[in-house]
Amino acid sequence: HMPVHLGSMPMSVKAALENVDLAPGDAVILNDPYCGGTHLPDITIVSPIFLKKTKKPQLYVANRAHHSDVGGMSPGSMPLASEIFQEGLILPPVKLVRGGNIDTEILSLILANVRTPQERKGDLNAQLASNFIGSKRLKEMAKRYNSDRLLGMLSQLQDYSERITRNFIAGLPDGSYGFIDFLDNDGLSNEPIKISVDITINIDSVTIDFTGTSQQVPGSVNAIEAVTLSAALYVFKAIIGGDVLANSGILRPITLIAPKGTVINANHPAPVAGGNVETSQRIVDVLLGALHLVVPDMVPAASAGSMTNISFGGQDEKDSKPFAYYETIAGGHGASKSCDGISGKHSHMTNSLNTPVEALEHSMPIRIEEYRFRSNSGGFGRNIGGNGIIRSFQFLNPAEVTILSERHKIAPYGLLGGKSGSPGVITVNRGTDTKIIPSKTHFSIMKNDILTIKTPGGGGYGTVDN
């Protein structure tokens, strides 16, 4: 259910195939963004399925999970880094399971490099279990329909998505349509970062060209090509709507030009922790902005444009055990021609669910002081943008906190005269002193300090008199 994960998954499978000789009962683990991954907390496990006695598998199941800590320079592994080596443990494609047995040496190596090893072990086991069930179900289907027929049906599903996509594109006017938007900064400087796109429609195919986008930056908002590809797949699936299936067939009519060394296709060893949580959102914003010029009635104003990532950790004073936590906080949806924007809900490249207050307070030395919609934060217009969220954390324990967020300087845009949504604001309250902090920052927080995050509202759509 995570668009930023789904569109990039084929590159993980490809990396596993290219780097490891797979046998029945194996499972490959990886997170290296420059070899099939997205950013280091996203750990992918790929398992082969052999339906026949051949050297190569016929099918694969893959599972990706964002882990709340994979080591690195700050708890939560979403730091304001200047190189990828600071962001956590890097896993190239290696076998975690061989012939049905977990490689305990590889597992020990992973667990020795994270702050919360028991949590990581549990999550990895859950991923392996997911792949096991997926493999079991596919084998049952192969037995029911026979393997050749099953493989044929899977190919036809991709062909079907391609046909739907080409038919949709063929109904659009030929031409080139451009749009530019900006990230606030990279966290290490205050310079805005340009993301530029030109979408060229030619009969039943599309070229998406990001030439003109800013070069990769020192901070961690760089994205790798798989993230950019994911954003393209998401946007076209969303705008096509209907029953088009989310598979690589959607991408067959699409040519992506993502120049190497730019912030949307960075070179190693650029840091990338914020690439698929923040930059991916802005990639969607520029793609939708360009498509608004093609199909204005189908495209909403900009949504919050940030996953508003908070990660923190430390040592619990009660039991001296380490803790690490990661959360994304929702914002407002952009309004559209047909309706107001939805309030307090994740949009576009993320699809995270709410973290219940009770669960957070039970498991972490935290008290949630306030959690509500941010009134009047949606952009005004004929249809009004959705409101953002206010979430206040009182820390009952000293901790290290990292924030990676966006749309604090450059607000979510409105369309056709609609006003921009309110930008995000983050404050720390210590006694009677309240301090506004940057959208990307790392700091130590003291016991009883209150961190308040106000997420952006969505843009408005249309003027009141039209």
Side-chain angles (χ1 to χ4, degrees):
H1 67 291
M2 291 280 183
V4 73
H5 287 180
L6 293 176
S8 55
M9 194 72 77
M11 291 192 177
S12 295
V13 177
K14 182 180 179 183
L17 291 174
E18 290 177 346
N19 290 274
V20 180
D21 291 328
L22 293 167
D26 290 350
V28 173
I29 188 170
L30 64 97
N31 73 349
D32 186 349
Y34 296 99
C35 191
T38 50
H39 67 175
L40 297 183
D42 286 348
I43 294 179
T44 304
I45 296 181
V46 180
S47 302
I49 301 174
F50 290 81
L51 301 178
K52 303 176 181 180
K53 293 182 179 180
T54 56
K55 290 184 177 180
K56 291 186 177 181
Q58 287 73 50
L59 295 171
Y60 312 89
V61 288
N63 176 288
R64 175 173 292 157
H66 183 110
H67 288 248
S68 62
D69 187 88
V70 291
M73 63 191 289
S74 63
S77 310
M78 296 287 285
L80 271 65
S82 57
E83 58 179 4
I84 193 170
F85 307 109
Q86 298 170 333
E87 294 184 324
L89 176 67
I90 302 172
L91 294 168
V94 294
K95 288 186 182 182
L96 178 61
V97 179
R98 298 172 181 270
N101 298 309
I102 293 177
D103 188 324
T104 55
E105 293 182 352
I106 294 292
L107 182 61
S108 296
L109 177 64
I110 295 170
L111 300 182
N113 281 277
V114 301
R115 294 173 176 84
T116 49
Q118 287 304 112
E119 284 185 10
R120 302 289 65 74
K121 184 176 181 180
D123 288 345
L124 290 172
N125 281 334
Q127 288 186 259
L128 290 171
S130 173
N131 276 15
F132 175 80
I133 293 297
S135 299
K136 182 180 178 182
R137 295 289 184 263
L138 280 168
K139 289 175 181 177
E140 289 171 355
M141 291 180 69
K143 185 176 181 180
R144 179 178 179 182
Y145 297 109
N146 84 55
S147 57
D148 289 336
R149 186 181 177 198
L150 175 61
L151 294 170
M153 288 190 290
L154 294 175
S155 294
Q156 288 173 35
L157 288 176
Q158 294 182 358
D159 294 341
Y160 174 76
S161 291
E162 179 185 5
R163 288 197 304 274
I164 294 289
T165 305
R166 288 193 184 278
N167 288 340
F168 175 80
I169 295 169
L172 303 177
D174 286 0
S176 292
Y177 307 89
F179 198 84
I180 294 173
D181 203 348
F182 295 84
L183 294 166
D184 291 341
N185 53 53
D186 71 345
L188 300 183
S189 78
N190 290 318
E191 295 298 315
I193 302 162
K194 181 172 73 171
I195 299 182
S196 173
V197 73
D198 279 295
I199 296 178
T200 300
I201 300 168
N202 181 28
I203 309 175
D204 65 349
S205 63
V206 166
T207 299
I208 300 174
D209 187 355
F210 286 95
T211 300
T213 293
S214 292
Q215 294 297 298
Q216 66 188 62
V217 292
S220 62
V221 297
N222 301 291
I224 45 95
E225 186 179 19
V227 168
T228 303
L229 194 67
S230 287
L233 186 149
Y234 161 75
V235 165
F236 273 87
K237 183 184 186 304
I239 202 168
I240 293 168
D243 59 355
V244 64
L245 302 171
N247 61 46
S248 58
I250 294 175
L251 294 173
R252 290 176 184 172
I254 298 172
T255 299
L256 179 71
I257 300 174
K260 286 290 291 180
T262 62
V263 74
I264 52 90
N265 188 7
N267 289 319
H268 185 274
V272 296
N276 69 325
V277 291
E278 297 304 302
T279 307
S280 68
Q281 297 284 61
R282 198 65 68 254
I283 294 170
V284 168
D285 288 342
V286 298
L287 289 171
L288 289 176
L291 286 170
H292 172 72
L293 303 174
V294 187
V295 282
D297 292 350
M298 299 177 67
V299 175
S303 295
S306 176
M307 296 191 197
T308 308
N309 308 264
I310 172 174
S311 54
F312 58 81
Q315 193 161 352
D316 197 322
E317 292 180 334
K318 291 182 178 179
D319 56 16
S320 297
K321 291 182 179 180
F323 64 92
Y325 181 73
Y326 168 75
E327 178 179 24
T328 60
I329 304 176
H333 283 208
S336 66
K337 182 181 180 181
S338 60
C339 62
D340 294 339
I342 301 171
S343 295
K345 195 173 191 328
H346 276 294
S347 58
H348 298 323
M349 296 305 282
T350 178
N351 197 17
S352 301
L353 299 178
N354 164 73
T355 301
V357 171
E358 297 84 356
L360 177 56
E361 291 184 342
H362 175 74
S363 59
M364 296 286 158
I366 290 289
R367 179 182 295 122
I368 300 299
E369 290 291 304
E370 185 178 17
Y371 189 31
R372 62 179 175 86
F373 291 134
R374 184 186 177 193
S375 300
N376 302 314
S377 57
F380 190 67
R382 179 164 51 98
N383 290 325
I384 299 171
N387 288 318
I389 277 178
I390 298 176
R391 190 157 165 95
S392 292
F393 304 76
Q394 183 179 30
F395 283 77
L396 307 179
N397 200 109
E400 296 293 312
V401 180
T402 304
I403 304 287
L404 274 179
S405 61
E406 263 291 325
R407 292 295 198 192
H408 283 219
K409 294 182 178 180
I410 302 168
Y413 59 77
L415 287 177
L416 297 179
K419 302 300 182 181
S420 298
S422 297
V425 179
I426 302 176
T427 60
V428 173
N429 179 272
R430 180 171 295 167
T432 59
D433 179 45
T434 299
K435 180 181 179 181
I436 296 177
I437 64 173
S439 61
K440 302 175 186 68
T441 187
H442 173 81
F443 60 98
S444 298
I445 200 161
M446 304 300 292
K447 185 175 181 177
N448 294 322
D449 286 355
I450 296 175
L451 171 68
T452 299
I453 297 176
K454 299 179 180 180
T455 64
Y461 190 100
T463 55
V464 176
D465 58 352
N466 69 4

